[in-house]
Amino acid sequence: QKEVEQNSGPLSVPEGAIASLNCTYSDRGSQSFFWYRQYSGKSPELIMFIYSNGDKEDGRFTAQLNKASQYVSLLIRDSQPSDSATYLCAVKPGYALNFGKGTSLLVTP
Amino acid sequence: KAGVTQTPRYLIKTRGQQVTLSCSPISGHRSVSWYQQTPGQGLQFLFEYFSETQRNKGNFPGRFSGRQFSNSRSEMNVSTLELGDSALYLCASSRGLAGALEQYFGPGTRLTVT
């Protein structure tokens, strides 16, 4: 079974701080990496995707990928209470998304 | 552009019954993938349809089946429902085969089996 591991949290950060979410994966052949945000009772929403080693920035979000270490992370700058949600890391070693169980993020005012 | 739509949003069935769920992808998207989400197992891949053909299948029993129509809309069927089938069923669409492209999820169908 190809594994995608995330710390379940909850990760608690104060408003305005940087939240750092981490994910490791086991399949070295993985080529595509995604971060989804899921609010309670809602479906996952794609917020970032990254295919190459390095950083990719989009607004307050930065995805970081290190294929050698099989590690992908998501940084959220200037965290807001509305960012409180579960963040799912997804890896695509082949045809389907392989999801981690998610990290619960709580941003406190 | 309208997002992925799923119907119905909520469903209650009893053990042994069957159920059909529907998914309409984003306009122009030709791939539809189905996932099951439960608190214990998280999100698990069921199958993917592209151009009316099942292209890939996850590790679920044959009671789970699906199909895709010429307009890319997809249906998923679960026969002989079991209590463990209670879950949120999500479909996701992408422009081409999902192997290399971003997928966008619909709101899901919450199925409760009693």
Side-chain angles (χ1 to χ4, degrees):
Chain A
Q1 175 70 28
K2 310 299 185 188
E3 298 291 338
V4 178
E5 301 287 344
Q6 295 181 257
N7 189 319
S8 62
L11 172 65
S12 183
V13 301
E15 184 175 357
I18 296 175
S20 177
L21 305 162
N22 304 315
C23 171
T24 59
Y25 60 95
S26 63
D27 189 338
R28 286 193 170 274
S30 300
Q31 296 295 321
S32 309
F33 306 86
F34 304 83
W35 283 99
Y36 285 83
R37 177 176 62 197
Q38 186 171 25
Y39 293 111
S40 180
K42 301 294 186 181
S43 63
E45 173 192 9
L46 179 64
I47 54 173
M48 290 288 288
F49 57 89
I50 186 167
Y51 301 139
S52 304
N53 272 333
D55 295 359
K56 179 182 178 182
E57 187 174 316
D58 183 0
R60 295 187 298 113
F61 300 99
T62 299
Q64 299 175 317
L65 174 61
N66 184 323
K67 289 186 178 180
S69 300
Q70 296 176 244
Y71 176 96
V72 59
S73 64
L74 179 71
L75 302 178
I76 306 175
R77 290 181 299 282
D78 189 23
S79 295
Q80 301 297 310
S82 59
D83 294 327
S84 298
T86 296
Y87 289 80
L88 300 166
C89 171
V91 174
K92 197 173 286 185
Y95 50 83
L97 286 172
N98 192 7
F99 282 87
K101 296 286 181 67
T103 297
S104 175
L105 173 66
L106 177 64
V107 181
T108 56
Chain B
K1 183 185 274 192
V4 179
T5 59
Q6 291 186 247
T7 57
R9 295 291 311 279
Y10 302 91
L11 208 48
I12 300 174
K13 292 287 188 178
T14 56
R15 276 185 303 173
Q17 287 186 313
Q18 76 166 24
V19 66
T20 299
L21 312 181
S22 180
C23 172
S24 292
I26 293 170
S27 178
H29 284 199
R30 297 172 62 193
S31 166
V32 174
S33 297
W34 288 90
Y35 294 83
Q36 180 195 66
Q37 186 175 33
T38 59
Q41 298 298 318
L43 267 160
Q44 297 184 90
F45 172 74
L46 281 155
F47 30 66
E48 179 188 11
Y49 285 86
F50 181 83
S51 292
E52 302 178 62
T53 302
Q54 184 181 94
R55 301 299 178 124
N56 300 292
K57 191 175 191 304
N59 189 26
F60 277 81
R63 299 185 296 107
F64 292 82
S65 63
R67 58 178 176 168
Q68 187 180 35
F69 302 94
S70 58
N71 61 358
S72 296
R73 189 177 70 85
S74 176
E75 288 182 346
M76 189 190 92
N77 184 276
V78 187
S79 62
T80 319
L81 284 166
E82 301 177 359
L83 294 179
D85 296 333
S86 295
L88 179 66
Y89 289 89
L90 293 156
C91 77
S93 76
S94 61
R95 284 182 285 115
L97 277 170
L101 299 173
E102 306 86 67
Q103 291 182 307
Y104 298 89
F105 283 89
T109 294
R110 184 161 298 280
L111 172 64
T112 302
V113 182
T114 62

